[in-house]
Amino acid sequence: MPLQTSPLRGIHDERGAKFTEFGGWDMPVEFDSIQIEHGAVREDVGIFDVSHMGQIHVTGPDATELMQRLTSNDVSRLEVGDSQYAAITDEDGIILDDTVVYRLPDEDDQSTFLFVPNAGTDEATHERWISYRNEWDLDATVDNRTDEYAMFAVQGPHAVDLVESIADESVDDLERFEARYATIDGVECWTARTGYTGEDGFELILPWETAEETWAAFDCQPCGLGARDTLRIEAGLLLAGQDFDPETDPRTPYEAGIGFVVALDTEFVGRDALAAVEETGVEEQLVGFQLIDRGVPRHGYDITTTENRVIGTVTSGTMSPTLEKPIGLGYVPVESAEPGTTLQVIVRGQFKKARVETTPFIDIVQ
Amino acid sequence: MRFEIPDDRRYLESHEWAHETDGVVRVGISDFAQDELGDVVFVELPDEGDSLEQNDEFGVVESIKAVSDLYAPVSGDVAAVNADLFDAPELVNDDPFGEGWMLEIDPADGDQLAELLSADEYEEQIA
């Protein structure tokens, strides 16, 4: 199957980006250097093309109920312009995907939602929504609009100033996780004070056909998936398919450290299984760690006790550009999860000392 | 993008270069290789005196996004390693054919260097 491409594929190519396959999309991984791009986001501002993220639009008399029953968090708490992080779980409480749910302005006096599944999961998620809607006989329209909307993330301590400088109206009053339609450089964008880098900033969802022009209006460092990965690891944020994967590494939200997105007082697929897990506790959990010895932890490397007994696996790892230290995430038994615990990571056959750290590794905007 | 490929040295398909001066073969990775890897953050090298066979793995270069094995262009003993890289691995990006060199080998077989790719052949490979 040919890879899907962002509306900015040609622009990125002209800019000299390197590309990689990600979730079935051909996306820029690096424009200048990961360190330069990472540094821009931590110290100034950078812009990411995240058009590979899915967009699913849900409206109708039963839209709230459908969203409530298929996401783990409590969507009934959302006022128009609010958003929330949530997990999509199966009957066993296993994370199928993580997502941000936005409540859009009502359409035809009906509650309306837009949620953002990860790259490559939009079709399956759309089918899941349709299938359950039909099974439960709910009155809701579910549209997969992934190919209609581009998405940019403008992130960094100066992100707000930059967006303000080209916005036709002020948006700096938006609080974290708040959003509204705003005109940015003449284009109406769903403008959300959200992001996945640990920094302040906005995510903009805008019509696919205006993407090139709007992108060009941002005079700042373009950033690729490489920097997005190092930034999100430093912020202790999960990467779908790596830090959880329903096929190869099935995990509950409690194991993955996102128990805060589980609203057990709501009814949703997986709720009963998760209530049981919440009561008994987890056996393993995701921890952050720093490698004390020299080396770089990578996805798939074994984690061991100091007696060389394998107890877990690295799910994400990198040399942190901000801390200039090798850091990673991985699942270990709860008895080894306490910050300060000494572990080891097997880096190409060599046992390297590591220490469990609290995450996020850096101060992040919450 | 055009990459620097000095014609005073030989190359491996795995992107190492080998340059002989006064009977010692200095080894590093090519401009193309450092560009593909991106920001180099870690280099693992053998100890002086270690014995290497041609095409043996002799170390590892890691960038933020990838890890890559390094292969010996010729057989021989390690005469020197570039210890500067342990504190400043970015030298591999900044000056891959100069300050970013990795090790020197006292070659066991003077003919092996001639078996490697010429600059033109290497250029063709990465084209």
Side-chain angles (χ1 to χ4, degrees):
Chain A
M1 208 167 91
L3 293 177
Q4 288 180 276
T5 53
S6 145
L8 301 173
R9 179 65 175 75
I11 298 279
H12 297 329
D13 204 18
E14 281 172 28
R15 176 63 176 69
K18 290 179 190 166
F19 291 83
T20 191
E21 189 273 332
F22 187 79
W25 289 70
D26 187 33
M27 295 301 290
V29 64
E30 191 176 345
F31 288 87
D32 294 297
S33 109
I34 290 174
Q35 282 177 335
I36 288 171
E37 295 162 31
H38 184 109
V41 173
R42 285 278 178 256
E43 289 155 27
D44 186 8
V45 54
I47 187 168
F48 301 80
D49 176 11
V50 285
S51 298
H52 58 295
M53 301 294 285
Q55 279 91 23
I56 304 213
H57 185 271
V58 183
T59 191
D62 297 327
T64 305
E65 188 175 352
L66 184 62
M67 292 302 297
Q68 189 74 302
R69 290 168 70 170
L70 287 174
T71 59
S72 66
N73 216 331
D74 184 0
V75 296
S76 72
R77 287 190 211 144
L78 297 178
E79 304 281 337
V80 169
D82 287 344
S83 64
Q84 71 183 187
Y85 184 48
I88 299 166
T89 50
D90 68 11
E91 288 287 350
D92 298 323
I94 299 301
I95 307 171
L96 300 174
D97 204 355
D98 62 348
T99 190
V100 172
V101 179
Y102 297 100
R103 182 154 170 216
L104 299 179
D106 294 350
E107 288 183 9
D108 302 324
D109 293 327
Q110 309 293 343
S111 297
T112 302
F113 299 90
L114 182 72
F115 70 101
V116 180
N118 280 293
T121 63
D122 56 294
E123 282 182 26
T125 305
H126 179 242
E127 283 168 22
R128 181 178 181 79
W129 254 244
I130 296 284
S131 162
Y132 275 105
R133 178 200 65 186
N134 295 345
E135 184 182 327
W136 295 328
D137 197 22
L138 296 177
D139 185 0
T141 306
V142 183
D143 291 326
N144 184 356
R145 297 190 174 172
T146 302
D147 290 346
E148 295 172 40
Y149 294 138
M151 187 165 171
F152 302 161
V154 187
Q155 303 279 295
H158 297 149
V160 174
D161 291 344
L162 179 63
V163 173
E164 285 282 286
S165 72
I166 59 168
D168 301 12
E169 58 207 91
S170 182
V171 288
D172 72 352
D173 60 305
L174 285 169
E175 307 255 340
R176 187 82 182 138
F177 279 95
E178 279 186 356
R180 67 167 173 263
Y181 283 108
T183 308
I184 311 284
D185 193 47
V187 172
E188 188 180 62
C189 301
W190 180 247
T191 304
R193 196 77 174 259
T194 53
Y196 216 64
T197 62
E199 296 296 328
D200 195 5
F202 292 98
E203 289 178 303
L204 308 174
I205 298 175
L206 61 154
W208 188 274
E209 57 274 14
T210 67
E212 282 194 8
E213 203 176 322
T214 308
W215 178 267
F218 285 92
D219 181 18
C220 67
Q221 175 69 48
C223 304
L225 291 176
R228 191 169 161 86
D229 195 47
T230 53
L231 289 157
R232 69 93 197 165
I233 294 176
E234 287 182 354
L237 299 169
L238 306 177
L239 180 63
Q242 202 162 298
D243 299 309
F244 63 86
D245 184 327
E247 301 298 323
T248 61
D249 195 8
R251 297 291 175 180
T252 66
Y254 295 116
E255 289 174 297
I258 56 167
F260 60 90
V261 303
V262 180
L264 288 176
D265 55 348
T266 66
E267 283 301 324
F268 64 92
V269 174
R271 184 257 165 217
D272 293 348
L274 288 172
V277 174
E278 203 264 345
E279 197 167 310
T280 57
V282 295
E283 292 180 3
E284 295 185 344
Q285 72 181 84
L286 191 73
V287 296
F289 62 86
Q290 180 190 321
L291 218 58
I292 308 300
D293 289 335
R294 290 162 49 83
V296 184
R298 306 274 182 192
H299 175 75
Y301 288 3
D302 284 334
I303 300 173
T304 78
T305 63
T306 49
E307 291 82 38
N308 300 353
R309 184 168 55 89
V310 175
I311 54 166
T313 309
V314 176
T315 54
S316 289
T318 191
M319 181 66 83
S320 159
T322 304
L323 304 171
E324 297 183 340
K325 289 173 180 161
I327 58 170
L329 303 172
Y331 288 95
V332 296
V334 286
E335 56 269 25
S336 299
E338 196 62 32
T341 305
T342 304
L343 301 170
Q344 297 181 110
V345 175
I346 305 180
V347 178
R348 295 182 309 281
Q350 295 181 326
F351 290 84
K352 306 276 189 177
K353 193 185 287 182
R355 185 178 60 231
V356 177
E357 302 281 344
T358 52
T359 56
F361 293 97
I362 51 141
D363 290 336
I364 65 169
V365 175
Q366 280 287 9
Chain B
M1 188 170 184
R2 272 194 70 78
F3 296 101
E4 203 185 333
I5 309 175
D7 60 8
D8 61 352
R9 58 198 78 197
R10 314 289 285 192
Y11 297 84
L12 270 68
E13 285 178 11
S14 47
H15 308 291
E16 294 80 2
W17 54 259
H19 184 229
E20 185 170 10
T21 319
D22 299 331
V24 174
V25 177
R26 188 171 267 205
V27 183
I29 65 168
S30 72
D31 187 26
F32 172 81
Q34 69 77 23
D35 184 74
E36 285 286 299
L37 280 166
D39 308 292
V40 172
V41 291
F42 181 67
V43 180
E44 195 175 284
L45 298 173
D47 294 324
E48 276 179 36
D50 283 0
S51 213
L52 300 173
E53 289 295 319
Q54 190 179 32
N55 299 321
D56 268 1
E57 286 175 26
F58 72 76
V60 168
V61 58
E62 298 217 28
S63 66
I64 290 177
K65 68 183 177 193
V67 53
S68 187
D69 291 321
L70 298 164
Y71 296 92
V74 295
S75 304
D77 293 339
V78 177
V81 296
N82 185 0
D84 291 349
L85 297 185
F86 298 137
D87 293 325
E90 65 274 13
L91 289 172
V92 177
N93 294 119
D94 297 343
D95 190 9
F97 295 113
E99 296 291 307
W101 68 277
M102 291 176 172
L103 77 167
E104 289 178 341
I105 299 173
D106 186 9
D109 177 351
D111 296 335
Q112 283 180 331
L113 207 57
E115 298 166 10
L116 307 179
L117 301 176
S118 68
D120 286 345
E121 288 165 337
Y122 181 66
E123 186 171 17
E124 213 165 284
Q125 184 199 308
I126 64 173

